[in-house]
Amino acid sequence: MQLTDSIQYVKGVGPKKTAELKRLGLHTVYDLLMYFPRTYEDQSVLTKISELQAGETATVGGTIMNVSERQGGRRGMNILMALIGDGTGVLQVTWFNQKYLKSKLKVGRKVFVTGKAAYAFGGRGQFAMSQLHSFEIMDEDEEPASRAGIVPVYPATEKLNQKFFRKVIAGLFGEELAIHDLIPQRVMKSYDLLPRQKALQDMHFPADFTALKAARKHLAFEELYLIQCGLLLLKRQARENSKGIRHLLSSELTAKVRKSLPFELTADQARTWQEIQRDMESPLPMRRLVQGDVGSGKTVIAMLALVKTVENGYQGALMAPTEILASQHYEGFCRQLEPLGIRIGFLSGRLTKKKREEMYARIAAQEVDIVIGTHALIQEGVEFAKLGLVVTDEQHRFGIAQRAELEKKGTLLPDVLVMTATPIPRTMTLTVYGDLDVSLIQQLPPGRQPIRTFVRKPDRRDLIYDYVHQQLAAGRQAYVVCPLIELNEESDLPSAEEVYDELCYGIFRDMPCGLVHGRMKAADKEQVMQAFYEDKIKLLVSTTVIEVGVNVPNASIMVVEHAERFGLAQLHQLRGRIGRGQYKSYCILVSEMKTENARERLKIMAETSDGFKLAEEDLRLRGPGQFFGSMQHGLPDLKVADVLNDMDILLKARQAAQETVASREERRDILPILSLQYREQFENITDI
Ligand code: ADP
Ligand code: MG
């Protein structure tokens, strides 16, 4: 049997099961091998029946003492019940509609039962298995000790149960399957890895937890190593085989801009700017990620870099994820740079066709130096005369593909700077942005008012909004954030629309209020945001659309309704909308805090303002799935490795991948494996 064979040829898999497996995305023998257990059950430890605890999963070894059969329920279900004894007590095990089992359940047979223990119905303290995980009948001559062990638990479905997966996958390892190592021998040796065959087998059927740990480690390494190889090869391809722009050292204009700023750069900003200059002055194209918490001052860094490219006779582009942000940047850039004779252009989907085409023409004729805009910047028709630098703000909103689109717009490859405020734990920076160099801006500019954060229950809403009203009366502005846009029958959460109605016609009826949410037309949204920006709206009720980058220094208070519905990283982003000016700012998180998890998360929110710490907590509390979901773009899912806990493995895998990419031979060997494992993600790697 071949790894690439269709699952329909696997023993025990008929046409019906084949269809079911395909629904799970499992098509080949290999897919099945890579279908890893969700968890494992330790059946190596037997629990005495007298020591069972209700609600806990346990394995019991015993003898069948009695079997009974009856019809029950309205539909006349067949109910089989066996009593199992182990000398310390008696356990009930029940099966519904599994009549065929009856012939196997012979009194006196030894069995192993794993499941969740519960008090038997009407059984006076007797135990039953409320959830039966496995039931094994031993052969007459089998020793009990040879049976118990660590048992895989697969992500099963209604039609494909545990037993099926266990049997079919165990069967595969009985076959003559040629499972080759994916990792070069040199790496295998120097990083002390297992043969792949063994790692896979132990991942499914480990002899003990040590073996399982080793298998997991191997497979996590393998996965991270391959992804790192892919990312590094992409990076190498971009660098070695493309000519970048060599910006010159001279920096009169940038120095002028720097001097005209009303503040000094922070040490982190200065270092980042150094790193960017070095990249820009190198003949290789720059690929740099600037990661800095909200309000850390990334914009000015982008501005300096754009000015540098202009000074060198090139054009620069700054792409923002929303209309609002783009126009805010546009205004700021005009104010700062036009006095120095730098020509700024604006491009967005909302311009009239005529205006847009005018702008295209000016861009093509190099009559503008810096173009600021939205996705419209990467539309067909935008041709730069001499593109030197592309900056994308809030990268997580753009995919790798879009970045690549923009890069294609130059003849020489332009330098690329990516800015993100999403604090990403280092493990993830390396996996998600493995093809970029990273600069960190960790400190905030001096003199910032810390934001005070409170967590309150909804029964305090009246008081909270009274306080907000006072703040508005004193001249400030406020945000109210809600998780939902409109009334939803399935949920009892108040929607943004409801909250808006309640507030706008209630306690804030004497204040201009506005509502923005994601389903409004862009133009309408824009209008409301603009009004808020100009202080014509005092209270803004919104969904998370305000999350990114909006800068209204006069807004000093934020109320988040149903705060438990947001991730920590997201709350942090939201909270970053306030505390941007000279006013003391307050963030009030409203939540029932019904679960322990919600309580814990909101408490962390109130206690820390460190975005990186919050991101890590978020990852820990929500699990990588959800966290990753929002920012993974076109990168392979991690099947084994864990972005939070496998940092040490990641660093080793990255090191190994660097060695591989540096070696011509290993590079050649790894490419076919990459395209086999991760075809879509790394199909663009051609040059080796
Ligand atoms: P973000 O990193 O979130 O994009 P911004 O670039 O919008 O942050 O900066 C937030 C505010 O901080 C802006 O008003 C900016 O003018 C100001 N700022 C940036 N750098 C400094 C600094 N070194 N000292 C004082 N204020 C600064
Ligand atoms: Mg910004």
Side-chain angles (χ1 to χ4, degrees):
M1 180 156 276
Q2 303 281 318
L3 292 182
T4 48
D5 284 349
S6 161
I7 35 164
Q8 73 193 71
Y9 303 119
V10 174
K11 212 161 69 199
V13 181
K16 271 202 190 129
K17 301 275 193 216
T18 301
E20 276 301 307
L21 286 165
K22 285 193 172 159
R23 253 177 17 92
L24 291 179
L26 307 176
H27 301 273
T28 63
V29 171
Y30 185 66
D31 292 341
L32 208 48
L33 273 182
M34 293 297 280
Y35 196 67
F36 295 130
R38 172 166 61 76
T39 175
Y40 302 81
E41 238 158 45
D42 188 0
Q43 301 186 358
S44 60
V45 181
L46 293 184
T47 304
K48 293 194 183 110
I49 293 174
S50 62
E51 287 169 7
L52 286 173
Q53 300 280 341
E56 287 188 4
T57 300
T59 300
V60 166
T63 312
I64 301 180
M65 298 165 64
N66 178 42
V67 179
S68 61
E69 182 182 18
R70 63 189 167 92
Q71 301 298 115
R74 264 193 302 158
R75 299 228 193 104
M77 259 193 294
N78 174 278
I79 304 173
L80 274 173
M81 190 188 354
L83 293 179
I84 316 290
D86 71 348
T88 73
V90 176
L91 175 73
Q92 286 183 12
V93 183
T94 311
W95 294 267
F96 299 99
N97 284 339
Q98 298 191 41
K99 212 168 171 171
Y100 64 92
L101 274 176
K102 195 183 167 194
S103 60
K104 297 187 185 167
L105 297 171
K106 296 238 168 69
V107 172
R109 274 287 173 86
K110 283 191 188 137
V111 294
F112 279 100
V113 192
T114 302
K116 204 179 207 180
Y119 291 111
F121 201 65
R124 276 162 286 133
Q126 204 177 51
F127 273 102
M129 283 301 184
S130 67
Q131 287 171 25
L132 193 60
H133 297 185
S134 79
F135 184 85
E136 290 183 68
I137 303 171
M138 307 219 334
D139 295 337
E140 303 281 359
D141 53 353
E142 205 172 354
E143 281 295 315
S146 72
R147 199 56 179 248
I150 296 170
V151 177
V153 180
Y154 291 95
T157 65
E158 206 178 321
K159 297 202 177 111
L160 301 169
N161 60 18
Q162 286 305 329
K163 206 162 181 179
F164 168 78
F165 279 113
R166 283 175 195 156
K167 207 163 149 194
V168 164
I169 295 176
L172 289 179
F173 288 105
E175 296 264 337
E176 288 285 305
L177 270 185
I179 300 176
H180 299 293
D181 290 321
L182 299 183
I183 301 177
Q185 284 308 308
R186 179 197 63 79
V187 177
M188 296 271 290
K189 265 204 209 99
S190 55
Y191 291 84
D192 204 17
L193 301 172
L194 299 173
R196 188 159 201 254
Q197 162 100 36
K198 169 135 181 72
L200 282 174
Q201 185 154 3
D202 285 358
M203 190 71 176
H204 289 282
F205 306 105
D208 51 42
F209 281 103
T210 318
L212 174 60
K213 202 169 154 203
R216 218 200 130 264
K217 191 174 143 202
H218 173 98
L219 293 168
F221 183 98
E222 180 180 287
E223 178 168 55
L224 292 169
Y225 165 81
L226 290 176
I227 293 175
Q228 289 299 320
C229 280
L231 289 169
L232 292 170
L233 284 172
L234 275 180
K235 182 168 168 176
R236 183 177 171 278
Q237 177 167 300
R239 294 234 159 134
E240 313 254 308
N241 304 310
S242 56
K243 287 211 184 74
I245 294 162
R246 178 173 215 149
H247 290 86
L248 297 180
L249 249 141
S250 83
S251 50
E252 227 173 280
L253 202 52
T254 47
K256 233 189 226 166
V257 173
R258 227 180 127 163
K259 252 194 231 119
S260 74
L261 294 173
F263 48 73
E264 294 283 329
L265 295 185
T266 62
D268 281 355
Q269 282 174 318
R271 186 182 28 77
T272 300
W273 172 226
Q274 284 297 332
E275 286 165 354
I276 291 169
Q277 288 182 92
R278 210 175 47 220
D279 286 357
M280 289 181 76
E281 284 155 17
S282 134
L284 303 177
M286 168 167 77
R287 296 287 174 274
R288 184 167 290 276
L289 173 74
V290 175
Q291 220 188 321
D293 213 340
V294 272
S296 63
K298 295 180 295 294
T299 315
V300 64
I301 299 299
M303 184 185 282
L304 288 170
L306 287 162
V307 170
K308 185 176 176 81
T309 209
V310 173
E311 185 167 25
N312 274 270
Y314 291 93
Q315 292 167 294
L318 171 61
M319 183 156 74
T322 65
E323 207 55 54
I324 314 248
L325 261 185
S327 56
Q328 270 187 14
H329 283 322
Y330 176 67
E331 271 176 46
F333 274 57
C334 288
R335 216 178 314 126
Q336 200 78 39
L337 302 181
E338 274 181 351
L340 300 169
I342 298 174
R343 299 158 299 178
I344 319 283
F346 183 77
L347 198 55
S348 95
R350 291 204 29 239
L351 296 182
T352 59
K353 187 155 182 268
K354 183 155 168 277
K355 281 253 162 72
R356 209 160 52 220
E357 274 163 8
E358 264 171 41
M359 186 49 69
Y360 290 167
R362 291 179 56 206
I363 294 170
Q366 208 177 355
E367 285 166 20
V368 283
D369 300 309
I370 297 174
V371 191
I372 296 174
T374 57
H375 285 86
L377 273 180
I378 53 172
Q379 235 85 97
E380 205 75 38
V382 186
E383 297 289 342
F384 286 85
K386 248 183 127 186
L387 186 60
L389 172 69
V390 175
V391 181
T392 62
D393 194 7
E394 309 294 353
Q395 153 73 11
H396 59 294
R397 299 286 162 120
F398 293 118
I400 285 175
Q402 284 166 313
R403 202 168 76 210
E405 262 319 290
L406 194 48
E407 286 172 23
K408 270 195 259 163
K409 296 220 172 272
T411 36
L412 287 176
L413 274 188
D415 285 334
V416 173
L417 191 60
V418 170
M419 301 193 300
T420 179
T422 311
I424 310 163
R426 201 164 117 73
T427 347
M428 285 181 65
T429 321
L430 289 179
T431 43
V432 180
Y433 296 111
D435 61 332
L436 302 173
D437 297 310
V438 180
S439 293
L440 272 181
I441 306 184
Q442 262 174 315
Q443 60 195 168
L444 294 181
R448 281 288 157 77
Q449 292 278 357
I451 301 167
R452 298 193 56 191
T453 301
F454 304 92
V455 185
R456 293 287 181 264
K457 294 216 167 151
D459 57 10
R460 305 283 289 275
R461 283 177 82 234
D462 286 350
L463 285 172
I464 295 167
Y465 283 114
D466 263 345
Y467 184 69
V468 174
H469 194 272
Q470 279 173 34
Q471 290 283 309
L472 300 195
R476 302 289 78 73
Q477 287 167 276
Y479 296 100
V480 177
V481 183
C482 304
L484 292 179
I485 299 173
E486 55 195 22
L487 209 57
N488 178 344
E489 281 170 15
E490 278 150 45
S491 140
D492 53 0
L493 295 184
S495 63
E497 284 175 347
E498 274 179 289
V499 170
Y500 173 76
D501 286 345
E502 173 200 342
L503 296 177
C504 164
Y505 299 109
I507 168 169
F508 295 98
R509 62 187 171 276
D510 58 339
M511 297 277 178
C513 302
L515 171 70
V516 279
H517 59 67
R519 263 189 243 144
M520 284 165 65
K521 274 204 215 110
D524 297 341
K525 210 158 59 187
E526 172 90 351
Q527 205 178 3
V528 177
M529 287 306 299
Q530 192 60 33
F532 187 68
Y533 189 52
E534 290 167 7
D535 200 14
K536 287 178 187 148
I537 285 177
K538 283 290 190 183
L539 181 93
L540 183 67
V541 180
S542 76
T543 53
T544 54
V545 290
I546 56 153
E547 191 182 332
V548 173
V550 182
N551 192 19
V552 180
N554 187 43
S556 67
I557 189 158
M558 171 176 286
V559 180
V560 183
E561 296 274 2
H562 283 274
E564 77 283 349
R565 301 280 299 225
F566 299 94
L568 287 181
Q570 201 177 15
L571 282 174
H572 182 64
Q573 289 281 306
L574 286 167
R575 184 169 61 180
R577 298 310 105 219
I578 55 173
R580 298 176 84 83
Q582 78 246 43
Y583 307 106
K584 249 202 159 65
S585 295
Y586 304 92
C587 175
I588 301 153
L589 306 173
V590 182
S591 171
E592 296 268 15
M593 291 181 286
K594 279 197 186 133
T595 66
E596 185 53 42
N597 184 290
R599 224 185 333 267
E600 195 184 341
R601 286 189 10 218
L602 296 179
K603 183 161 161 263
I604 295 167
M605 232 13 244
E607 283 167 1
T608 180
S609 56
D610 180 336
F612 285 85
K613 216 158 126 195
L614 285 171
E616 276 177 9
E617 285 297 331
D618 208 17
L619 203 51
R620 188 173 66 77
L621 292 168
R622 291 207 301 170
Q626 283 198 38
F627 188 94
F628 239 141
S630 61
M631 65 173 75
Q632 213 178 12
H633 23 57
L635 273 177
D637 278 335
L638 296 176
K639 284 179 92 101
V640 183
D642 166 344
V643 284
L644 202 54
N645 296 316
D646 288 335
M647 189 65 187
D648 51 336
I649 300 180
L650 173 64
L651 290 177
K652 284 195 190 121
R654 186 170 171 82
Q655 160 105 38
Q658 273 161 346
E659 291 158 11
T660 295
V661 170
S663 144
R664 208 181 153 82
E665 237 169 79
E666 283 186 24
R667 242 176 9 237
R668 291 221 168 116
D669 290 344
I670 211 71
L671 191 65
I673 292 172
L674 268 183
S675 61
L676 203 65
Q677 296 278 314
Y678 301 112
R679 182 172 329 230
E680 297 146 45
Q681 285 86 8
F682 298 127
E683 67 188 351
N684 289 331
I685 304 175
T686 48
D687 234 311
I688 274 295

